Amino acid sequence: IAAFVGRLGPAQRDKLRGLRLLPIACVWDSRYQEERMTFASPDPMHGDVARTLRDFGIRRYDLFFAPSQEVVPRLLEVLPPRNEFLERLETDGLAGARDIGNTVVDERHVIDEDELDAEINRSDLINLFEAAMLEGVRRGASDVHISPNRQGQTSFKMRVDGDLVTWHTEDKAHPEAVLAVVKDRAMGVDRFERDRAQDGNMQRQVDGALIRFRVSVLPVANVDPDIRSESVVIRILDDRKVHADLTKLGLPEIAMKRFDRAIRQPFGMVLITGPTGSGKSTTLAAALQRVITPKVNVISIEDPIEYMIPGVQQIKLSDRLDMSRAMRAVLRHDPDIVMVGEIRDFETADLAIKLANTGHLTFSTLHTNDAPSAVSRLFKLGVEPFLLAYAINLVMAQRLVRVLCPECREVDEAPNESILGEIGLSLDDVPGHVFRKGTKKRCPTCRGTGYTGRRAIAEALYLSPAIRQMIFEAGDSIDEGTIKKQAISEGMDTLQDAAAAYVKQGLISTDEVVRVVATL
C-alpha cells in the first residue's frame, strides 16, 4: 500500500479522499500476472469510483463496503491531507522577506507601524501561521506556543503527548510582525495593546471538522528593554477528542470500576484531581456522556469551556457572572447533574458540597497531588468534616503517561535497579526481566519520539463507610496518611502501583514513571 500511495500525485490523493476510497491491500494476481488492489468505501456504488480507478491504471481490483466512521480515520492516516499553507511557503518561501530586526535593535526604538503593517500583510507570514494551526490539529497537539527568542527569531512549538516539540523557527521576519499576524487573526485581541495580558479565540474548518482555538497573549521581558515582546499560547479545542465511551480512556481496571460505580449514584460528589494537563477535563466529559439521558437536566459551569458536550447546558463565566452567582442560579434551574469546572475557594467548595448533599450528582476538579489530600484540601478551605464525609462518593487522582511506540521500542538490557526500587519494582517483578524503553531511531510511526499517545494512570479513593467515619471523626485535622492506608487495605491502587503495572506490561518505561509520579 505504501508503494501504491507513493506513486500517487496530489490530485489523485485528493480524488481518493473525496470519494472516501480506502486502499487496504495490494497482492500479486498470479493468474493475470499483475497487481490486484482491494478498496473499501462507504459508497462503493458511486459512479466515479470505477472511472477513477481506471484513470489510475488499476485494472484488477475488489471493492467492499465499510462504514464511513471506519473508513475516514484510516483514510486520513494512509493519505494525510495536504497542508496547502506549507505548500505555498515551500513554493514562495520567506527568502524575499526584509529583515528589519537589525534596524530595531540598532536604532533602539519600537518598530515603525507602517513597516509593521507591510510585514503583516505579507501572505507568507499568514501562510506560516495557518500552516502551524493546521499542523497542530493534525499532529494531535494540545497547544501551539509562539514566542520570540534572544536571537530576534520567533519559535513555533507544539505540545504533543505532553512534551513541547519545536516545529519551526522563523528568522526572516521580525517577531513583532509574526505576533501581530496572530493577534489580527484572533477575535477579542487588540494588536496595538502590547502591555497587558489578553485572551481571544478563533475557529477553523480542518478536515471537515470545526476546530476551536483559545488564544492567550502575555507580555514577556526582552533582553532589549526598548522592545516589547509577547508570548502567545494557542490551546487547540478539538471536540473530536471528547470520548463518549469512558472505557476508551485507558483507565486502570480497578479505578475504572470504582469510577463507574461512583458516577452511577443518584447523588453525591465525584472529584478528579491532578495537575494541569493531566486529562481531568477529558475524563469529566466522558463521565458526563455516560450519565446523560433525555430524562435528566445536566448543567456545567466552566471557565473556560474546553469541549462542547451534547446534552449539557454549558455556562461560561465572565466578569458579569462569577462562580458564586452562577452556582446560585443553577440551584434555581432544576438540575439533576451539575459539573463545576474547578473548586478554587471556600464559597465554590461550599456550594458544590451543598449540591451533592441535596440530591444532585456533582462533578468537579481540584489541584492536589493524590486522592486522599483532596479531602484534606477541602477541609482546609473551610468545609465541615461531616459535610465532606457524606457528600463525596469518590476522589480520583489522575496522570497521563506516554506509551512506548510499539514499532520501535526496544529491550532495556541494563535497567537501573535503584530507579526500579524507587517505583516499587525489582527485576523479579517482570517476566523474563524484560523492561522496555524508548528509542532515538527514526521511526515514521512516532516521528522519532519513541512514543505514540498517552494513557491515564489513576488512584480511585472510594469513600467506604469506614473512611466516611474517619473523616466524620476528624476533629481539627484530617490525617491523609491514615485515610490512604485504609483505602489501600480496601483494594485501592496508588498512582505508583498503576504506573508499575504498565511497566510490567511493557507499555511505558521506568523513566516515564519517575517523570510523572512522585516516588517517595
Side-chain angles (χ1 to χ4, degrees), residues 440-514:
K440 297 184 182 300
K441 297 176 182 177
R442 299 299 299 174
C443 171
T445 301
C446 64
R447 298 177 184 267
T449 64
Y451 303 95
T452 51
R454 293 184 289 177
R455 293 189 67 167
I457 57 172
E459 62 179 31
L461 171 64
Y462 196 90
L463 268 66
S464 64
I467 293 176
R468 292 186 192 276
Q469 189 65 26
M470 292 171 63
I471 298 171
F472 184 81
E473 297 174 351
D476 295 333
S477 65
I478 290 179
D479 189 338
E480 301 170 12
T482 304
I483 293 175
K484 186 169 187 175
K485 288 179 182 177
Q486 178 64 29
I488 291 173
S489 71
E490 295 175 357
M492 182 187 83
D493 281 346
T494 65
L495 287 168
Q496 188 168 306
D497 293 334
Y502 283 163
V503 172
K504 293 177 183 179
Q505 297 172 39
L507 293 175
I508 67 175
S509 66
T510 53
D511 290 340
E512 184 69 3
V513 181
V514 175

Side-chain angles (χ1 to χ4, degrees), residues 48 85 170 178 197-198 213 235 238 258 260 264 283 287 294 300 308 332 340 344 387 408 418 475 496 513:
D48 285 343
F85 301 105
E170 178 51 50
V178 179
Q198 299 186 74
F213 302 86
R235 170 61 59 90
D238 188 346
R258 292 183 168 204
D260 188 54
R264 291 186 181 280
T283 301
S300 74
M308 301 302 297
R332 300 188 294 269
V340 180
R344 302 174 183 173
L387 291 174
C408 67
S418 64
Q496 188 168 306
V513 181

Side-chain angles (χ1 to χ4, degrees), residues 10-278:
Q12 291 175 315
R13 295 184 180 209
D14 289 343
K15 188 68 174 178
L16 287 182
R17 282 192 295 266
L19 291 172
R20 294 178 293 174
L21 198 56
L22 173 67
I24 56 177
C26 180
V27 298
W28 183 255
D29 191 330
S30 57
R31 179 181 178 186
Y32 296 100
Q33 293 297 301
E34 61 182 338
E35 289 181 343
R36 188 177 191 90
M37 298 285 300
T38 303
F39 293 88
S41 172
D43 189 12
M45 301 304 293
H46 193 289
D48 285 343
V49 168
R51 186 182 307 110
T52 297
L53 295 178
R54 186 173 62 251
D55 292 343
F56 286 4
I58 301 173
R59 288 162 43 86
R60 308 286 176 187
Y61 62 86
D62 296 309
L63 188 59
F64 295 94
F65 166 80
S68 181
Q69 61 267 29
E70 298 291 335
V71 168
V72 173
R74 289 169 174 79
L75 190 59
L76 293 177
E77 292 178 8
V78 175
L79 296 167
R82 292 185 297 162
N83 190 328
E84 60 270 25
F85 301 105
L86 274 181
E87 291 177 357
R88 292 175 195 167
L89 282 175
E90 291 169 359
T91 302
D92 302 331
L94 286 170
R98 293 175 299 132
D99 185 356
I100 55 179
N102 292 332
T103 303
V104 175
V105 174
D106 292 343
E107 296 182 7
R108 314 281 293 179
H109 63 74
V110 176
I111 188 171
D112 181 82
E113 292 295 342
D114 290 336
E115 291 189 4
L116 182 60
D117 279 332
E119 287 287 283
I120 292 169
N121 290 328
R122 281 171 34 201
S123 62
D124 45 13
L125 281 184
I126 295 173
N127 286 336
L128 175 63
F129 170 67
E130 295 294 346
M133 296 301 98
L134 196 58
E135 199 70 11
V137 173
R138 289 177 178 169
R139 289 193 181 192
S142 60
D143 302 88
V144 176
H145 292 236
I146 306 172
S147 58
N149 60 26
R150 295 171 65 95
Q151 290 75 39
Q153 304 166 330
T154 308
S155 68
F156 288 73
K157 296 181 179 180
M158 297 182 182
R159 188 173 295 280
V160 180
D161 292 339
D163 284 346
L164 279 177
V165 180
T166 298
W167 175 74
H168 175 76
T169 300
E170 178 51 50
D171 58 0
K172 294 184 175 65
H174 194 278
E176 203 162 343
V178 179
L179 296 174
V181 167
V182 178
K183 294 161 75 175
D184 271 355
R185 300 182 77 78
M187 297 178 61
V189 176
D190 183 358
R191 188 229 292 183
F192 299 100
E193 179 58 71
R194 302 186 181 104
D195 296 316
R196 67 178 177 88
Q198 299 186 74
D199 292 311
N201 61 84
M202 56 187 183
Q203 58 186 32
R204 298 286 186 275
Q205 282 284 343
V206 179
D207 300 333
L210 181 65
I211 308 298
R212 295 174 294 114
F213 302 86
R214 191 176 73 237
V215 182
S216 173
V217 183
L218 192 65
V220 295
N222 192 291
V223 289
D224 185 342
D226 291 335
I227 297 178
R228 291 170 291 182
S229 295
E230 293 170 289
S231 173
V232 178
V233 175
I234 302 174
R235 170 61 59 90
I236 300 174
L237 303 174
D238 188 346
D239 292 333
R240 294 174 297 182
K241 293 182 179 179
V242 178
H243 291 280
D245 187 350
L246 193 61
T247 60
K248 292 184 178 179
L249 294 180
L251 290 171
E253 184 179 358
I254 293 176
M256 178 64 202
K257 287 181 178 179
R258 292 183 168 204
F259 188 66
D260 188 54
R261 178 184 174 190
I263 66 176
R264 291 186 181 280
Q265 301 300 313
F267 54 83
M269 175 176 284
V270 175
L271 275 172
I272 300 180
T273 77
T276 301
S278 60

